[in-house]
Amino acid sequence: GGAPGLERGRAGAASRGPGSSCPLPTGAEEPGMEAEAQELPLGCGGGGGSPAAGRSPEGEECREPPQASVSNGGDEDSGRELVELKVIWNKNKYDVKFCLDSTGAELKQKIHSLTGLPPAMQKVMFKGLLPEEKTLREIKVTNGAKIMVVGSTINDVLAVNTPKEAAQQEVKAEENKKEPLCRQKQHRKVLDKGKPDDVMPSVKGVQERLPTVPLSGMYNKSGGKVRLTFKLEQDQLWIGTKERTEKLPMGSIKNVVSEPIEGHEDYHMMAFQLGPTEASYYWVYWVPTQYVDAIKDTVLGKWQYF
Protein backbone atom coordinates (compact mmCIF):
# COMPACT_ATOMS: atom_id res chain seq x y z
CA GLY A 1 0.00 0.00 0.00
CA GLY A 2 3.01 2.38 0.53
CA ALA A 3 4.14 2.68 -3.11
CA PRO A 4 0.86 3.94 -4.63
CA GLY A 5 0.68 6.64 -1.93
CA LEU A 6 4.22 7.75 -2.78
CA GLU A 7 3.31 7.82 -6.44
CA ARG A 8 0.32 10.00 -5.74
CA GLY A 9 2.54 12.37 -3.76
CA ARG A 10 4.95 12.68 -6.70
CA ALA A 11 2.12 13.21 -9.15
CA GLY A 12 0.72 15.96 -6.91
CA ALA A 13 4.07 17.71 -6.66
CA ALA A 14 4.57 17.47 -10.42
CA SER A 15 1.09 18.88 -11.09
CA ARG A 16 1.69 21.80 -8.73
CA GLY A 17 4.95 22.68 -10.47
CA PRO A 18 3.38 24.25 -13.61
CA GLY A 19 0.64 25.98 -11.64
CA SER A 20 -2.20 23.46 -11.89
CA SER A 21 -4.49 23.22 -8.88
CA CYS A 22 -5.43 19.51 -8.88
CA PRO A 23 -6.57 18.83 -5.30
CA LEU A 24 -4.66 16.30 -3.18
CA PRO A 25 -6.49 13.81 -1.04
CA THR A 26 -4.01 14.37 1.80
CA GLY A 27 -2.39 17.48 3.34
CA ALA A 28 -5.38 19.91 3.64
CA GLU A 29 -3.11 22.90 4.38
CA GLU A 30 -1.31 22.64 1.04
CA PRO A 31 -4.32 23.05 -1.28
CA GLY A 32 -5.53 25.84 1.00
CA MET A 33 -2.34 27.81 0.42
CA GLU A 34 -2.48 26.99 -3.25
CA ALA A 35 -6.06 28.31 -3.63
CA GLU A 36 -4.95 31.45 -1.88
CA ALA A 37 -2.02 31.91 -4.23
CA GLN A 38 -4.39 31.60 -7.19
CA GLU A 39 -6.71 34.27 -5.79
CA LEU A 40 -3.95 36.87 -5.39
CA PRO A 41 -3.65 38.08 -9.01
CA LEU A 42 -7.43 38.80 -9.06
CA GLY A 43 -7.37 40.77 -5.84
CA CYS A 44 -5.73 44.00 -4.75
CA GLY A 45 -2.23 42.59 -4.29
CA GLY A 46 -2.54 41.50 -0.65
CA GLY A 47 -3.98 38.18 0.51
CA GLY A 48 -5.45 37.19 3.84
CA GLY A 49 -4.21 34.57 6.25
CA SER A 50 -6.86 32.01 5.39
CA PRO A 51 -8.81 30.73 2.35
CA ALA A 52 -11.78 32.84 3.54
CA ALA A 53 -9.62 35.96 3.40
CA GLY A 54 -8.73 35.00 -0.16
CA ARG A 55 -12.26 36.02 -1.18
CA SER A 56 -12.04 39.52 0.24
CA PRO A 57 -9.58 40.91 -2.34
CA GLU A 58 -12.18 40.35 -5.07
CA GLY A 59 -14.70 42.45 -3.15
CA GLU A 60 -12.13 45.16 -2.56
CA GLU A 61 -11.28 45.20 -6.24
CA CYS A 62 -14.90 46.09 -7.06
CA ARG A 63 -14.88 48.98 -4.65
CA GLU A 64 -11.52 50.48 -5.60
CA PRO A 65 -12.02 51.73 -9.19
CA PRO A 66 -14.69 54.30 -8.23
CA GLN A 67 -12.34 55.67 -5.54
CA ALA A 68 -9.59 55.87 -8.12
CA SER A 69 -11.83 57.73 -10.56
CA VAL A 70 -12.87 60.24 -7.89
CA SER A 71 -9.25 61.08 -7.11
CA ASN A 72 -8.48 61.37 -10.84
CA GLY A 73 -11.36 63.83 -11.15
CA GLY A 74 -9.75 65.95 -8.45
CA ASP A 75 -6.42 65.83 -10.25
CA GLU A 76 -8.04 67.08 -13.43
CA ASP A 77 -9.57 70.04 -11.61
CA SER A 78 -6.31 70.99 -9.94
CA GLY A 79 -4.60 73.67 -11.96
CA ARG A 80 -7.93 74.91 -13.33
CA GLU A 81 -9.67 77.86 -11.69
CA LEU A 82 -12.87 76.79 -9.95
CA VAL A 83 -15.82 78.93 -8.96
CA GLU A 84 -18.39 78.11 -6.27
CA LEU A 85 -21.98 78.28 -7.50
CA LYS A 86 -25.37 77.93 -5.89
CA VAL A 87 -27.64 76.09 -8.33
CA ILE A 88 -31.33 76.52 -7.44
CA TRP A 89 -33.97 74.31 -9.05
CA ASN A 90 -37.48 73.46 -7.89
CA LYS A 91 -36.83 74.77 -4.34
CA ASN A 92 -33.68 72.61 -4.11
CA LYS A 93 -30.26 74.21 -3.64
CA TYR A 94 -27.02 72.60 -4.78
CA ASP A 95 -23.54 73.88 -3.91
CA VAL A 96 -21.32 73.22 -6.92
CA LYS A 97 -17.65 73.86 -7.68
CA PHE A 98 -17.21 74.30 -11.41
CA CYS A 99 -14.41 75.28 -13.76
CA LEU A 100 -14.54 78.97 -14.79
CA ASP A 101 -13.42 78.10 -18.32
CA SER A 102 -16.25 75.59 -18.88
CA THR A 103 -19.11 76.60 -21.15
CA GLY A 104 -22.80 77.06 -20.40
CA ALA A 105 -23.46 73.78 -22.26
CA GLU A 106 -21.05 71.93 -19.93
CA LEU A 107 -22.75 73.50 -16.90
CA LYS A 108 -26.07 72.16 -18.22
CA GLN A 109 -24.56 68.66 -18.29
CA LYS A 110 -23.48 69.12 -14.66
CA ILE A 111 -27.00 70.29 -13.73
CA HIS A 112 -28.35 67.21 -15.50
CA SER A 113 -26.20 64.98 -13.27
CA LEU A 114 -27.45 66.83 -10.16
CA THR A 115 -31.15 67.10 -10.95
CA GLY A 116 -31.88 64.49 -13.64
CA LEU A 117 -33.27 67.32 -15.79
CA PRO A 118 -32.17 66.85 -19.46
CA PRO A 119 -30.20 69.85 -20.83
CA ALA A 120 -32.80 70.44 -23.56
CA MET A 121 -35.41 71.00 -20.85
CA GLN A 122 -33.34 73.37 -18.73
CA LYS A 123 -33.82 77.11 -18.73
CA VAL A 124 -30.63 78.23 -16.95
CA MET A 125 -30.43 81.85 -15.86
CA PHE A 126 -27.63 84.11 -14.69
CA LYS A 127 -28.45 87.77 -15.43
CA GLY A 128 -30.77 86.53 -18.18
CA LEU A 129 -30.60 83.29 -20.11
CA LEU A 130 -27.19 81.61 -19.81
CA PRO A 131 -25.53 81.41 -23.27
CA GLU A 132 -24.45 77.83 -23.97
CA GLU A 133 -21.45 78.69 -26.13
CA LYS A 134 -19.75 81.14 -23.74
CA THR A 135 -17.61 80.24 -20.73
CA LEU A 136 -18.53 81.19 -17.19
CA ARG A 137 -15.50 83.50 -17.15
CA GLU A 138 -16.74 85.34 -20.25
CA ILE A 139 -20.13 86.07 -18.71
CA LYS A 140 -18.41 87.17 -15.46
CA VAL A 141 -19.68 84.48 -13.10
CA THR A 142 -18.12 85.02 -9.66
CA ASN A 143 -17.85 83.01 -6.44
CA GLY A 144 -21.18 82.48 -4.71
CA ALA A 145 -23.17 83.31 -7.88
CA LYS A 146 -26.75 82.05 -7.94
CA ILE A 147 -27.66 80.01 -11.01
CA MET A 148 -31.43 79.66 -11.41
CA VAL A 149 -32.75 76.61 -13.25
CA VAL A 150 -36.33 76.36 -14.48
CA GLY A 151 -37.59 73.19 -16.11
CA SER A 152 -39.83 70.20 -15.70
CA THR A 153 -39.60 66.49 -16.29
CA ILE A 154 -40.66 65.12 -19.67
CA ASN A 155 -43.99 63.95 -18.25
CA ASP A 156 -44.80 67.41 -16.89
CA VAL A 157 -43.87 69.05 -20.17
CA LEU A 158 -46.04 66.68 -22.19
CA ALA A 159 -48.97 67.48 -19.92
CA VAL A 160 -48.43 71.25 -20.22
CA ASN A 161 -47.17 71.44 -23.80
CA THR A 162 -50.20 70.28 -25.69
CA PRO A 163 -52.64 73.01 -24.60
CA LYS A 164 -49.98 75.72 -25.03
CA GLU A 165 -49.11 74.56 -28.55
CA ALA A 166 -52.80 74.43 -29.45
CA ALA A 167 -53.25 77.98 -28.09
CA GLN A 168 -50.30 79.22 -30.14
CA GLN A 169 -51.65 77.61 -33.31
CA GLU A 170 -55.07 79.17 -32.74
CA VAL A 171 -53.49 82.59 -32.23
CA LYS A 172 -51.46 82.20 -35.43
CA ALA A 173 -54.55 81.14 -37.38
CA GLU A 174 -56.47 84.15 -36.05
CA GLU A 175 -53.60 86.50 -36.88
CA ASN A 176 -53.46 85.19 -40.45
CA LYS A 177 -57.18 85.90 -40.92
CA LYS A 178 -57.00 89.46 -39.65
CA GLU A 179 -55.33 92.60 -40.87
CA PRO A 180 -52.00 93.43 -39.21
CA LEU A 181 -52.49 94.11 -35.51
CA CYS A 182 -51.02 97.59 -35.65
CA ARG A 183 -53.79 98.67 -38.08
CA GLN A 184 -56.57 97.58 -35.75
CA LYS A 185 -58.51 100.38 -34.11
CA GLN A 186 -57.68 99.49 -30.47
CA HIS A 187 -53.93 99.53 -31.26
CA ARG A 188 -53.98 102.58 -33.54
CA LYS A 189 -55.38 104.57 -30.62
CA VAL A 190 -52.10 104.02 -28.72
CA LEU A 191 -49.65 103.92 -31.64
CA ASP A 192 -50.90 107.23 -33.06
CA LYS A 193 -49.53 108.95 -29.96
CA GLY A 194 -46.07 108.20 -31.40
CA LYS A 195 -43.03 106.94 -29.56
CA PRO A 196 -42.79 107.62 -25.83
CA ASP A 197 -40.30 110.41 -25.10
CA ASP A 198 -38.17 108.05 -22.98
CA VAL A 199 -38.35 105.06 -25.36
CA MET A 200 -35.33 102.74 -25.12
CA PRO A 201 -32.98 102.72 -28.15
CA SER A 202 -33.42 99.80 -30.54
CA VAL A 203 -30.81 97.83 -32.45
CA LYS A 204 -31.97 96.29 -35.74
CA GLY A 205 -30.89 92.79 -36.76
CA VAL A 206 -29.40 91.92 -33.37
CA GLN A 207 -30.71 89.67 -30.62
CA GLU A 208 -29.58 90.65 -27.16
CA ARG A 209 -29.97 89.13 -23.72
CA LEU A 210 -32.26 90.94 -21.32
CA PRO A 211 -30.57 93.88 -19.64
CA THR A 212 -30.16 93.80 -15.86
CA VAL A 213 -32.32 96.95 -15.55
CA PRO A 214 -36.10 96.99 -16.17
CA LEU A 215 -37.32 97.59 -19.73
CA SER A 216 -39.01 100.99 -19.63
CA GLY A 217 -40.28 103.73 -21.95
CA MET A 218 -43.26 101.71 -23.26
CA TYR A 219 -47.06 102.21 -23.32
CA ASN A 220 -49.86 99.82 -22.28
CA LYS A 221 -53.22 99.63 -24.06
CA SER A 222 -54.62 102.62 -22.18
CA GLY A 223 -51.63 104.72 -23.27
CA GLY A 224 -50.09 104.77 -19.79
CA LYS A 225 -46.35 104.31 -19.23
CA VAL A 226 -45.35 100.74 -18.41
CA ARG A 227 -42.12 98.96 -17.51
CA LEU A 228 -41.23 95.26 -17.45
CA THR A 229 -38.96 93.82 -14.76
CA PHE A 230 -37.80 90.21 -15.04
CA LYS A 231 -37.32 88.83 -11.52
CA LEU A 232 -35.51 85.65 -12.49
CA GLU A 233 -34.82 84.48 -8.94
CA GLN A 234 -38.55 84.48 -8.17
CA ASP A 235 -39.38 83.32 -11.73
CA GLN A 236 -41.74 86.31 -11.99
CA LEU A 237 -42.51 89.06 -14.49
CA TRP A 238 -43.38 92.41 -12.87
CA ILE A 239 -45.53 94.72 -14.99
CA GLY A 240 -45.30 98.17 -13.42
CA THR A 241 -47.34 101.32 -14.06
CA LYS A 242 -47.50 104.59 -12.16
CA GLU A 243 -50.43 103.24 -10.14
CA ARG A 244 -49.33 99.68 -9.31
CA THR A 245 -47.09 96.71 -10.05
CA GLU A 246 -48.51 93.32 -11.08
CA LYS A 247 -46.27 90.41 -10.05
CA LEU A 248 -46.96 87.48 -12.40
CA PRO A 249 -45.42 83.99 -12.07
CA MET A 250 -43.79 83.16 -15.44
CA GLY A 251 -45.61 79.82 -15.46
CA SER A 252 -49.02 81.57 -15.39
CA ILE A 253 -48.35 83.36 -18.71
CA LYS A 254 -49.91 81.14 -21.41
CA ASN A 255 -48.34 82.75 -24.46
CA VAL A 256 -46.38 85.75 -25.75
CA VAL A 257 -47.15 87.25 -29.17
CA SER A 258 -45.46 90.15 -30.92
CA GLU A 259 -45.53 91.99 -34.22
CA PRO A 260 -43.28 94.73 -35.66
CA ILE A 261 -44.91 98.18 -35.72
CA GLU A 262 -45.46 99.29 -39.33
CA GLY A 263 -43.14 102.09 -40.30
CA HIS A 264 -41.08 101.49 -37.12
CA GLU A 265 -40.00 97.85 -37.62
CA ASP A 266 -37.22 98.22 -35.06
CA TYR A 267 -39.94 98.25 -32.37
CA HIS A 268 -42.62 95.67 -31.63
CA MET A 269 -45.99 95.58 -29.99
CA MET A 270 -46.20 92.60 -27.66
CA ALA A 271 -48.91 90.82 -25.67
CA PHE A 272 -48.72 88.52 -22.66
CA GLN A 273 -51.63 86.07 -22.49
CA LEU A 274 -52.68 85.94 -18.83
CA GLY A 275 -55.83 83.80 -19.23
CA PRO A 276 -57.42 81.26 -21.60
CA THR A 277 -58.59 83.69 -24.33
CA GLU A 278 -57.40 86.71 -26.34
CA ALA A 279 -59.42 88.95 -24.03
CA SER A 280 -56.73 88.33 -21.40
CA TYR A 281 -53.90 89.78 -23.51
CA TYR A 282 -51.87 92.47 -21.77
CA TRP A 283 -50.52 94.70 -24.55
CA VAL A 284 -47.22 96.57 -24.41
CA TYR A 285 -46.11 98.92 -27.21
CA TRP A 286 -42.66 100.08 -28.39
CA VAL A 287 -40.62 97.07 -27.24
CA PRO A 288 -37.08 97.33 -28.76
CA THR A 289 -36.70 94.56 -31.33
CA GLN A 290 -33.38 93.25 -29.94
CA TYR A 291 -35.11 92.07 -26.73
CA VAL A 292 -38.16 90.38 -28.28
CA ASP A 293 -36.69 86.87 -28.51
CA ALA A 294 -35.07 87.11 -25.07
CA ILE A 295 -38.44 88.08 -23.53
CA LYS A 296 -40.19 85.13 -25.20
CA ASP A 297 -37.44 82.69 -24.18
CA THR A 298 -37.39 83.95 -20.60
CA VAL A 299 -41.18 83.93 -20.11
CA LEU A 300 -42.10 80.76 -22.01
CA GLY A 301 -38.77 78.95 -21.66
CA LYS A 302 -37.15 77.25 -24.65
CA TRP A 303 -37.63 73.90 -22.95
CA GLN A 304 -41.37 74.06 -23.60
CA TYR A 305 -40.85 73.58 -27.33
CA PHE A 306 -39.15 70.19 -26.94
Side-chain angles (χ1 to χ4, degrees), residues 9-213:
R10 282 200 205 95
S15 69
R16 285 200 302 279
S20 167
S21 60
C22 295
L24 292 175
T26 57
E29 292 88 350
E30 288 180 59
M33 292 184 336
E34 203 164 325
E36 217 176 302
Q38 280 189 324
E39 295 267 26
L40 283 177
L42 298 171
C44 304
S50 68
R55 286 196 300 274
S56 84
E58 287 189 37
E60 286 172 20
E61 185 191 27
C62 296
R63 285 194 296 273
E64 271 204 4
Q67 292 169 355
S69 70
V70 167
S71 69
N72 288 345
D75 294 340
E76 284 172 23
D77 280 338
S78 63
R80 301 195 300 169
E81 194 176 344
L82 300 179
V83 66
E84 292 183 8
L85 309 173
K86 286 193 185 305
V87 175
I88 301 166
W89 173 69
N90 209 11
K91 297 185 181 170
N92 297 315
K93 292 186 181 179
Y94 305 87
D95 289 318
V96 178
K97 283 189 176 178
F98 205 66
C99 178
L100 254 184
D101 294 307
S102 293
T103 61
E106 288 169 320
L107 180 59
K108 282 191 165 188
Q109 291 295 343
K110 177 70 174 174
I111 292 169
H112 181 203
S113 70
L114 291 172
T115 63
L117 194 64
M121 296 193 171
Q122 296 174 20
K123 184 166 72 167
V124 181
M125 286 171 286
F126 172 74
K127 296 179 181 173
L129 270 181
L130 186 84
E132 290 194 5
E133 69 287 352
K134 291 194 175 177
T135 66
L136 303 194
R137 192 188 296 277
E138 285 174 323
I139 60 170
K140 298 184 170 52
V141 173
T142 53
N143 261 332
K146 284 184 181 174
I147 305 291
M148 305 297 298
V149 182
V150 180
S152 302
T153 62
I154 289 176
N155 291 340
D156 290 343
V157 171
L158 290 177
V160 169
N161 210 21
T162 314
K164 283 208 178 183
E165 273 186 357
Q168 285 173 338
Q169 282 165 4
E170 279 172 31
V171 168
K172 278 181 186 162
E174 286 296 309
E175 284 173 358
N176 290 341
K177 276 188 252 169
K178 296 175 184 173
E179 61 185 338
L181 291 170
C182 53
R183 290 190 200 161
Q184 292 173 27
K185 190 177 174 184
Q186 59 161 327
H187 302 305
R188 280 261 56 97
K189 194 172 59 177
V190 182
L191 293 172
D192 286 347
K193 289 177 68 170
K195 288 182 190 175
D197 48 8
D198 57 348
V199 71
M200 292 181 82
S202 70
V203 184
K204 255 187 179 174
V206 175
Q207 293 178 9
E208 289 186 12
R209 294 166 63 201
L210 290 176
T212 49
V213 296

